[in-house]
Coordinates of all heavy atoms in Angstrom, one line a residue:
M110 N 12.6 19.4 29.1 CA 12.9 19.3 27.7 C 13.8 18.1 27.5 O 14.9 18.0 28.2 CB 13.6 20.5 27.3 CG 13.9 20.6 25.8 SD 14.2 22.3 25.4 CE 15.0 22.1 24.0
S111 N 13.5 17.2 26.6 CA 14.3 16.1 26.4 C 15.4 16.3 25.3 O 15.2 17.0 24.4 CB 13.3 15.0 25.9 OG 14.1 13.8 25.6
D112 N 16.5 15.7 25.5 CA 17.7 15.8 24.6 C 17.6 14.7 23.5 O 18.4 14.8 22.6 CB 19.0 15.6 25.3 CG 19.3 16.9 26.2 OD1 18.7 18.0 25.9 OD2 20.0 16.8 27.2
S113 N 16.7 13.8 23.6 CA 16.6 12.7 22.7 C 15.6 13.1 21.5 O 14.6 13.8 21.8 CB 16.2 11.4 23.2 OG 15.0 11.5 23.8
Y114 N 15.9 12.7 20.3 CA 15.1 13.0 19.2 C 14.3 11.6 18.8 O 14.9 10.5 19.0 CB 15.9 13.4 18.0 CG 16.5 14.7 18.2 CD1 17.9 14.8 18.6 CD2 15.8 15.9 18.2 CE1 18.4 16.1 18.8 CE2 16.3 17.1 18.4 CZ 17.7 17.2 18.7 OH 18.3 18.5 18.9
P115 N 13.2 11.7 18.3 CA 12.4 10.5 17.9 C 13.1 9.8 16.8 O 13.8 10.4 16.0 CB 11.1 11.0 17.6 CG 11.2 12.4 17.2 CD 12.4 12.9 18.1
T116 N 13.1 8.5 16.8 CA 13.7 7.7 15.7 C 13.0 8.0 14.4 O 11.8 7.7 14.4 CB 13.7 6.3 16.1 OG1 14.4 6.1 17.3 CG2 14.5 5.4 15.0
P117 N 13.6 8.3 13.3 CA 12.9 8.5 12.1 C 12.4 7.1 11.6 O 13.0 6.1 11.9 CB 13.9 9.1 11.1 CG 15.2 8.7 11.7 CD 15.1 8.6 13.2
P118 N 11.3 7.1 10.8 CA 10.8 5.8 10.3 C 11.8 5.2 9.4 O 12.5 5.9 8.7 CB 9.5 6.2 9.7 CG 9.5 7.6 9.4 CD 10.5 8.2 10.4
R119 N 11.7 3.9 9.3 CA 12.6 3.2 8.4 C 12.3 3.4 6.9 O 11.1 3.6 6.6 CB 12.6 1.7 8.6 CG 13.0 1.2 10.0 CD 12.9 -0.3 10.1 NE 11.5 -0.7 9.7 CZ 11.1 -1.9 9.7 NH1 11.9 -2.8 10.1 NH2 9.9 -2.2 9.3
T120 N 13.2 3.4 6.0 CA 13.0 3.5 4.6 C 12.5 2.1 4.1 O 13.1 1.1 4.5 CB 14.2 3.9 3.8 OG1 14.6 5.2 4.4 CG2 13.9 4.1 2.4
E121 N 11.4 2.0 3.4 CA 10.9 0.8 3.0 C 11.7 0.2 2.0 O 12.4 0.8 1.2 CB 9.4 1.0 2.5 CG 8.5 1.4 3.6 CD 7.0 1.5 3.1 OE1 6.7 0.9 2.0 OE2 6.2 2.0 3.8
T122 N 11.7 -1.2 1.9 CA 12.5 -2.0 1.1 C 12.3 -1.6 -0.4 O 13.1 -1.6 -1.3 CB 12.3 -3.5 1.3 OG1 12.5 -3.7 2.7 CG2 13.2 -4.4 0.5
K123 N 10.9 -1.4 -0.8 CA 10.6 -1.1 -2.1 C 11.2 0.2 -2.6 O 11.6 0.3 -3.7 CB 9.1 -1.1 -2.3 CG 8.5 -2.5 -2.2 CD 7.0 -2.4 -2.4 CE 6.3 -3.8 -2.4 NZ 6.5 -4.5 -3.6
V124 N 11.3 1.2 -1.6 CA 11.8 2.4 -2.0 C 13.3 2.4 -2.2 O 13.9 2.9 -3.2 CB 11.5 3.5 -0.9 CG1 12.2 4.9 -1.2 CG2 10.0 3.7 -0.8
K125 N 14.0 1.6 -1.4 CA 15.4 1.4 -1.5 C 15.7 0.7 -2.8 O 16.7 1.1 -3.6 CB 16.0 0.6 -0.4 CG 16.0 1.3 1.0 CD 16.6 0.2 2.0 CE 16.3 0.7 3.4 NZ 16.8 -0.2 4.4
A126 N 15.0 -0.3 -3.1 CA 15.3 -1.1 -4.4 C 15.0 -0.2 -5.6 O 15.9 -0.3 -6.5 CB 14.4 -2.4 -4.4
A127 N 13.9 0.5 -5.6 CA 13.6 1.4 -6.8 C 14.7 2.5 -6.9 O 15.1 2.7 -8.1 CB 12.3 2.0 -6.6
A128 N 15.2 3.1 -5.9 CA 16.2 4.2 -5.9 C 17.5 3.5 -6.4 O 18.2 4.2 -7.3 CB 16.4 4.8 -4.6
T129 N 17.9 2.4 -5.9 CA 19.1 1.7 -6.4 C 19.1 1.3 -7.8 O 20.0 1.6 -8.6 CB 19.5 0.6 -5.5 OG1 19.5 1.0 -4.1 CG2 20.8 -0.1 -5.8
A130 N 18.0 0.8 -8.2 CA 17.8 0.4 -9.6 C 17.8 1.5 -10.6 O 18.4 1.5 -11.7 CB 16.6 -0.5 -9.8
G131 N 17.2 2.6 -10.1 CA 17.2 3.8 -11.0 C 18.5 4.4 -11.2 O 18.9 4.8 -12.3
A132 N 19.3 4.4 -10.1 CA 20.6 5.0 -10.2 C 21.6 4.1 -11.1 O 22.3 4.5 -11.9 CB 21.2 5.2 -8.8
G133 N 21.4 2.8 -10.8 CA 22.1 1.8 -11.6 C 21.9 1.8 -13.1 O 22.8 1.7 -13.8
A134 N 20.6 1.9 -13.3 CA 20.2 2.0 -14.7 C 20.7 3.3 -15.4 O 21.1 3.2 -16.5 CB 18.6 1.9 -14.8
A135 N 20.7 4.4 -14.7 CA 21.2 5.6 -15.3 C 22.7 5.6 -15.5 O 23.2 6.1 -16.5 CB 20.9 6.8 -14.3
A136 N 23.4 4.8 -14.6 CA 24.8 4.8 -14.8 C 25.4 3.7 -15.7 O 26.4 3.9 -16.4 CB 25.5 4.5 -13.4
V137 N 24.6 2.6 -15.8 CA 25.2 1.5 -16.5 C 24.3 1.1 -17.8 O 24.8 0.9 -18.9 CB 25.3 0.3 -15.6 CG1 25.8 -1.0 -16.4 CG2 26.3 0.6 -14.5
I138 N 23.0 0.9 -17.5 CA 22.1 0.4 -18.6 C 21.9 1.4 -19.7 O 21.8 1.0 -20.9 CB 20.8 -0.2 -18.0 CG1 21.2 -1.3 -17.0 CG2 20.0 -0.7 -19.0 CD1 20.0 -1.8 -16.2
T139 N 21.6 2.6 -19.3 CA 21.3 3.7 -20.3 C 22.5 3.9 -21.3 O 22.2 3.9 -22.5 CB 20.9 5.0 -19.6 OG1 19.8 4.8 -18.8 CG2 20.7 6.1 -20.7
P140 N 23.7 4.0 -20.9 CA 24.8 4.2 -21.9 C 24.9 3.0 -22.8 O 25.2 3.1 -24.0 CB 26.1 4.3 -21.0 CG 25.6 4.8 -19.7 CD 24.2 4.3 -19.5
F141 N 24.6 1.7 -22.2 CA 24.7 0.5 -23.0 C 23.6 0.5 -24.0 O 23.8 0.2 -25.3 CB 24.6 -0.7 -22.1 CG 24.5 -2.0 -23.0 CD1 25.6 -2.5 -23.6 CD2 23.3 -2.5 -23.1 CE1 25.5 -3.6 -24.4 CE2 23.2 -3.8 -23.9 CZ 24.3 -4.3 -24.5
A142 N 22.4 1.0 -23.6 CA 21.2 1.1 -24.6 C 21.5 2.1 -25.7 O 21.2 1.9 -26.9 CB 20.0 1.4 -23.9
V143 N 22.1 3.3 -25.3 CA 22.4 4.3 -26.3 C 23.5 3.7 -27.3 O 23.4 3.9 -28.5 CB 22.9 5.5 -25.6 CG1 23.5 6.5 -26.7 CG2 21.8 6.2 -24.9
W144 N 24.5 3.0 -26.7 CA 25.5 2.4 -27.7 C 24.9 1.4 -28.7 O 25.2 1.4 -29.8 CB 26.6 1.8 -26.8 CG 27.6 1.0 -27.6 CD1 28.6 1.4 -28.3 CD2 27.5 -0.5 -27.7 NE1 29.3 0.3 -28.9 CE2 28.6 -0.8 -28.6 CE3 26.7 -1.5 -27.3 CZ2 28.8 -2.1 -29.0 CZ3 26.9 -2.8 -27.7 CH2 28.0 -3.1 -28.5
L145 N 24.0 0.6 -28.1 CA 23.4 -0.4 -28.9 C 22.4 0.2 -30.0 O 22.5 -0.2 -31.1 CB 22.5 -1.4 -28.1 CG 22.0 -2.6 -28.7 CD1 23.1 -3.5 -29.1 CD2 21.1 -3.4 -27.7
I146 N 21.7 1.2 -29.6 CA 20.9 1.9 -30.6 C 21.8 2.6 -31.7 O 21.5 2.6 -32.9 CB 19.9 2.8 -30.0 CG1 18.8 2.0 -29.3 CG2 19.3 3.8 -30.9 CD1 17.9 2.8 -28.4
D147 N 22.8 3.2 -31.3 CA 23.8 3.9 -32.2 C 24.4 2.8 -33.2 O 24.5 3.0 -34.4 CB 24.9 4.5 -31.4 CG 25.9 5.2 -32.4 OD1 25.4 6.0 -33.3 OD2 27.1 5.0 -32.2
L148 N 24.7 1.6 -32.6 CA 25.3 0.5 -33.4 C 24.3 0.0 -34.4 O 24.6 -0.2 -35.6 CB 25.8 -0.6 -32.5 CG 26.5 -1.7 -33.2 CD1 27.8 -1.2 -33.7 CD2 26.7 -2.8 -32.2
L149 N 23.0 -0.2 -34.0 CA 22.0 -0.8 -34.8 C 21.3 0.1 -35.8 O 21.0 -0.2 -37.0 CB 20.9 -1.5 -34.0 CG 21.5 -2.6 -33.2 CD1 20.4 -3.2 -32.3 CD2 22.1 -3.8 -34.0
A150 N 21.0 1.4 -35.3 CA 20.2 2.3 -36.1 C 21.0 3.4 -36.8 O 20.6 4.0 -37.8 CB 19.1 2.9 -35.3
F151 N 22.2 3.7 -36.3 CA 23.0 4.8 -36.9 C 24.4 4.3 -37.3 O 25.3 5.1 -37.4 CB 23.1 5.9 -35.8 CG 21.8 6.5 -35.4 CD1 21.1 6.1 -34.3 CD2 21.3 7.6 -36.2 CE1 19.9 6.7 -33.9 CE2 20.1 8.1 -35.9 CZ 19.4 7.7 -34.7
N152 N 24.5 3.1 -37.6 CA 25.7 2.4 -38.2 C 26.9 2.5 -37.4 O 28.0 2.3 -37.8 CB 26.0 3.0 -39.6 CG 24.8 2.8 -40.6 OD1 24.2 1.8 -40.5 ND2 24.6 3.8 -41.5
G153 N 26.8 2.9 -36.1 CA 27.9 2.8 -35.2 C 29.1 3.7 -35.5 O 30.2 3.4 -35.0
D154 N 28.9 4.7 -36.2 CA 30.0 5.6 -36.6 C 30.4 6.4 -35.4 O 29.6 6.7 -34.5 CB 29.6 6.6 -37.7 CG 29.4 5.9 -39.0 OD1 30.0 4.8 -39.2 OD2 28.6 6.4 -39.9
A155 N 31.7 6.8 -35.3 CA 32.1 7.6 -34.2 C 32.2 9.1 -34.7 O 32.7 9.3 -35.8 CB 33.5 7.2 -33.7
P156 N 31.8 10.1 -34.0 CA 31.2 10.0 -32.7 C 29.8 9.5 -32.8 O 29.2 9.5 -33.9 CB 31.2 11.5 -32.2 CG 31.2 12.2 -33.5 CD 32.0 11.4 -34.5
P157 N 29.1 9.2 -31.7 CA 27.7 8.6 -31.8 C 26.9 9.6 -32.4 O 26.9 10.8 -32.1 CB 27.4 8.4 -30.3 CG 28.7 8.2 -29.6 CD 29.7 9.1 -30.3
D158 N 26.0 9.1 -33.3 CA 25.1 10.0 -34.1 C 23.7 10.0 -33.5 O 22.8 10.5 -34.2 CB 25.0 9.5 -35.5 CG 26.3 9.8 -36.3 OD1 27.0 10.8 -35.9 OD2 26.6 9.1 -37.2
V159 N 23.5 9.4 -32.4 CA 22.1 9.4 -31.8 C 21.8 10.9 -31.3 O 22.6 11.5 -30.6 CB 22.1 8.4 -30.5 CG1 20.7 8.5 -30.0 CG2 22.5 7.0 -30.9
P160 N 20.7 11.4 -31.8 CA 20.3 12.8 -31.4 C 20.1 12.9 -29.9 O 19.6 12.0 -29.3 CB 19.0 13.1 -32.1 CG 19.0 12.0 -33.2 CD 19.8 10.9 -32.7
L161 N 20.4 14.0 -29.4 CA 20.3 14.2 -27.9 C 18.9 14.0 -27.3 O 18.8 13.5 -26.3 CB 20.8 15.7 -27.6 CG 21.1 16.0 -26.0 CD1 22.0 15.0 -25.4 CD2 21.5 17.4 -25.8
P162 N 17.9 14.5 -28.0 CA 16.5 14.2 -27.5 C 16.2 12.7 -27.5 O 15.6 12.2 -26.5 CB 15.6 14.9 -28.5 CG 16.4 16.0 -29.1 CD 17.8 15.4 -29.2
V163 N 16.7 12.0 -28.4 CA 16.6 10.4 -28.3 C 17.3 9.9 -27.1 O 16.8 8.9 -26.4 CB 17.0 9.8 -29.6 CG1 17.0 8.3 -29.6 CG2 16.2 10.3 -30.8
V164 N 18.5 10.4 -26.8 CA 19.3 9.9 -25.7 C 18.5 10.2 -24.4 O 18.4 9.3 -23.5 CB 20.7 10.6 -25.7 CG1 21.4 10.2 -24.3 CG2 21.5 10.2 -26.8
G165 N 17.9 11.3 -24.3 CA 17.1 11.6 -23.2 C 15.9 10.8 -23.0 O 15.6 10.3 -21.8
V166 N 15.2 10.4 -24.1 CA 14.1 9.6 -24.0 C 14.5 8.2 -23.6 O 13.8 7.5 -22.8 CB 13.3 9.6 -25.4 CG1 12.3 8.5 -25.4 CG2 12.6 10.9 -25.6
I167 N 15.6 7.7 -24.2 CA 16.1 6.4 -23.8 C 16.4 6.3 -22.3 O 16.1 5.3 -21.7 CB 17.4 6.0 -24.6 CG1 17.0 5.9 -26.1 CG2 18.0 4.8 -24.1 CD1 18.2 5.8 -27.0
G168 N 17.1 7.3 -21.8 CA 17.4 7.4 -20.4 C 16.2 7.4 -19.5 O 16.1 6.7 -18.5
L169 N 15.1 8.2 -19.9 CA 13.9 8.2 -19.2 C 13.2 6.8 -19.2 O 12.8 6.4 -18.1 CB 13.0 9.3 -19.8 CG 11.6 9.4 -19.2 CD1 11.8 10.0 -17.8 CD2 10.7 10.3 -20.0
I170 N 13.2 6.2 -20.3 CA 12.5 4.9 -20.4 C 13.2 3.8 -19.6 O 12.6 3.1 -18.8 CB 12.2 4.5 -21.9 CG1 11.2 5.5 -22.6 CG2 11.8 3.1 -22.0 CD1 11.1 5.3 -24.0
V171 N 14.5 3.7 -19.8 CA 15.3 2.7 -19.2 C 15.3 2.9 -17.7 O 15.2 1.9 -16.9 CB 16.7 2.6 -19.7 CG1 17.7 1.8 -18.9 CG2 16.8 2.2 -21.1
T172 N 15.6 4.1 -17.2 CA 15.6 4.3 -15.7 C 14.2 4.1 -15.1 O 14.1 3.5 -14.1 CB 16.0 5.8 -15.5 OG1 17.3 5.9 -16.1 CG2 16.2 6.0 -14.0
G173 N 13.1 4.6 -15.8 CA 11.8 4.4 -15.3 C 11.4 2.9 -15.1 O 10.8 2.5 -14.1
L174 N 11.7 2.1 -16.2 CA 11.4 0.7 -16.2 C 12.2 0.0 -15.1 O 11.6 -0.9 -14.5 CB 11.6 0.1 -17.6 CG 10.6 0.4 -18.7 CD1 11.0 -0.1 -19.9 CD2 9.2 0.0 -18.2
A175 N 13.4 0.3 -15.0 CA 14.3 -0.3 -13.9 C 13.8 0.0 -12.5 O 13.7 -0.9 -11.7 CB 15.8 0.0 -14.1
A176 N 13.5 1.2 -12.3 CA 13.0 1.6 -11.0 C 11.6 1.0 -10.7 O 11.3 0.5 -9.6 CB 12.9 3.1 -10.9
W177 N 10.7 1.0 -11.7 CA 9.5 0.4 -11.5 C 9.6 -1.2 -11.2 O 8.9 -1.7 -10.3 CB 8.5 0.6 -12.7 CG 7.2 0.0 -12.5 CD1 6.1 0.4 -11.9 CD2 6.8 -1.3 -13.0 NE1 5.1 -0.4 -11.9 CE2 5.5 -1.5 -12.6 CE3 7.5 -2.3 -13.7 CZ2 4.8 -2.7 -12.9 CZ3 6.8 -3.4 -14.1 CH2 5.5 -3.7 -13.6
G178 N 10.3 -1.8 -12.0 CA 10.5 -3.3 -11.9 C 11.1 -3.6 -10.5 O 10.6 -4.6 -9.9
A179 N 12.1 -3.0 -10.1 CA 12.7 -3.3 -8.8 C 11.8 -2.9 -7.7 O 11.7 -3.8 -6.7 CB 14.0 -2.4 -8.7
G180 N 11.0 -1.9 -7.7 CA 10.1 -1.6 -6.7 C 8.9 -2.5 -6.7 O 8.4 -3.0 -5.6
Y181 N 8.6 -3.0 -7.8 CA 7.4 -4.0 -8.0 C 7.8 -5.4 -7.3 O 7.0 -6.0 -6.6 CB 7.0 -4.1 -9.4 CG 5.8 -5.0 -9.6 CD1 4.5 -4.6 -9.4 CD2 6.0 -6.4 -10.0 CE1 3.4 -5.5 -9.6 CE2 4.9 -7.2 -10.2 CZ 3.7 -6.8 -10.0 OH 2.6 -7.6 -10.1
W182 N 9.0 -5.8 -7.6 CA 9.4 -7.2 -7.2 C 10.1 -7.2 -5.9 O 10.4 -8.3 -5.4 CB 10.2 -7.8 -8.3 CG 9.4 -8.3 -9.4 CD1 8.5 -9.3 -9.3 CD2 9.4 -7.9 -10.8 NE1 7.9 -9.5 -10.5 CE2 8.4 -8.7 -11.5 CE3 10.1 -7.0 -11.5 CZ2 8.2 -8.5 -12.8 CZ3 9.8 -6.8 -12.8 CH2 8.9 -7.6 -13.5
A183 N 10.4 -6.0 -5.3 CA 11.0 -6.1 -4.0 C 10.0 -6.5 -2.9 O 8.8 -6.4 -3.0 CB 11.5 -4.6 -3.6
K184 N 10.6 -7.1 -1.8 CA 9.8 -7.6 -0.7 C 9.1 -6.4 0.0 O 9.7 -5.3 0.3 CB 10.7 -8.3 0.2 CG 9.9 -9.0 1.3 CD 10.8 -9.8 2.3 CE 10.1 -10.4 3.5 NZ 10.9 -11.0 4.3
H185 N 7.9 -6.6 0.4 CA 7.1 -5.6 1.1 C 7.6 -5.4 2.5 O 7.9 -6.5 3.2 CB 5.6 -6.0 1.1 CG 4.8 -5.0 1.9 ND1 4.5 -3.7 1.4 CD2 4.1 -5.2 3.1 CE1 3.7 -3.2 2.3 NE2 3.5 -3.9 3.3
T186 N 7.7 -4.2 3.0 CA 8.1 -4.0 4.4 C 6.8 -3.9 5.3 O 5.9 -3.1 5.0 CB 8.9 -2.6 4.5 OG1 10.0 -2.8 3.7 CG2 9.4 -2.4 5.9
A187 N 6.8 -4.6 6.3 CA 5.6 -4.6 7.2 C 5.7 -3.3 8.0 O 6.8 -2.9 8.5 CB 5.6 -5.8 8.2
R188 N 4.6 -2.6 8.2 CA 4.5 -1.4 8.9 C 3.5 -1.5 10.0 O 2.4 -1.0 10.0 CB 4.1 -0.3 8.0 CG 5.1 0.0 6.9 CD 6.4 0.7 7.4 NE 6.1 1.9 8.2 CZ 6.1 3.2 7.7 NH1 6.4 3.3 6.4 NH2 5.9 4.2 8.4
P189 N 3.8 -2.1 11.2 CA 2.9 -2.3 12.3 C 2.6 -0.9 12.9 O 1.6 -0.8 13.7 CB 3.6 -3.2 13.2 CG 5.1 -3.0 12.9 CD 5.1 -2.7 11.5
D190 N 3.4 0.1 12.7 CA 3.1 1.4 13.4 C 2.0 2.2 12.7 O 1.6 3.2 13.3 CB 4.4 2.2 13.3 CG 5.0 2.5 11.9 OD1 4.8 1.5 11.1 OD2 5.6 3.5 11.7
L191 N 1.6 1.7 11.5 CA 0.5 2.4 10.9 C -0.8 1.8 11.3 O -0.9 0.5 11.4 CB 0.6 2.4 9.3 CG 1.8 3.1 8.7 CD1 1.9 2.8 7.3 CD2 1.9 4.5 9.1
P192 N -1.9 2.6 11.5 CA -3.2 2.0 11.7 C -3.8 1.2 10.6 O -3.5 1.5 9.4 CB -4.1 3.2 12.0 CG -3.4 4.3 11.3 CD -1.9 4.0 11.3
S193 N -4.4 0.1 10.9 CA -5.0 -0.7 9.9 C -6.3 0.0 9.4 O -7.0 0.6 10.2 CB -5.3 -2.1 10.3 OG -6.2 -2.1 11.4
T194 N -6.6 -0.2 8.1 CA -7.9 0.3 7.6 C -8.9 -0.8 7.4 O -8.7 -1.6 6.4 CB -7.6 1.0 6.3 OG1 -6.9 0.2 5.4 CG2 -6.7 2.3 6.5
Q195 N -9.8 -0.9 8.3 CA -10.8 -2.0 8.1 C -12.2 -1.4 7.8 O -12.4 -0.3 8.3 CB -10.9 -2.8 9.4 CG -9.6 -3.6 9.7 CD -9.7 -4.4 11.0 OE1 -10.7 -4.2 11.7 NE2 -8.7 -5.1 11.3
R196 N -12.9 -2.0 7.0 CA -14.2 -1.4 6.6 C -15.3 -2.2 7.4 O -15.3 -3.2 7.8 CB -14.5 -1.6 5.2 CG -13.5 -0.7 4.4 CD -13.7 -0.9 2.9 NE -12.6 -0.3 2.2 CZ -12.8 0.7 1.3 NH1 -13.9 1.1 1.1 NH2 -11.8 1.2 0.8

């Protein structure tokens, strides 16, 4: 019985980029987008008058677009450990 464990596969660059962008968008870009929509569409009164379902949709769209864009434009990770599929 061996005491060593197999090395887990590396996390691909596209996955890292998408996860980082999604978290960053949720933390920074979404509140900015909600503030901007409140300012433009709801006259910027305090407290913010943006309805909660609209805030949720804004968060979903902003986070999804940021994650998709970062994953799409991130560099591809070569995976020589996977078998090639040739026809």
Side-chain angles (χ1 to χ4, degrees):
M110 187 166 158
S111 174
D112 289 337
S113 65
Y114 295 102
T116 304
R119 297 180 310 182
T120 304
E121 294 187 12
T122 306
K123 289 182 174 285
V124 174
K125 290 180 194 176
T129 303
V137 177
I138 300 172
T139 299
F141 175 74
V143 170
W144 170 79
L145 189 62
I146 289 174
D147 181 48
L148 185 68
L149 296 175
F151 296 97
N152 297 326
D154 294 334
D158 291 331
V159 181
L161 190 58
V163 175
V164 172
V166 169
I167 292 169
L169 179 68
I170 292 171
V171 168
T172 305
L174 286 175
W177 178 84
Y181 181 81
W182 281 297
K184 185 179 177 186
H185 177 71
T186 302
R188 295 289 305 265
D190 56 329
L191 297 177
S193 63
T194 55
Q195 295 178 355
R196 295 178 190 239

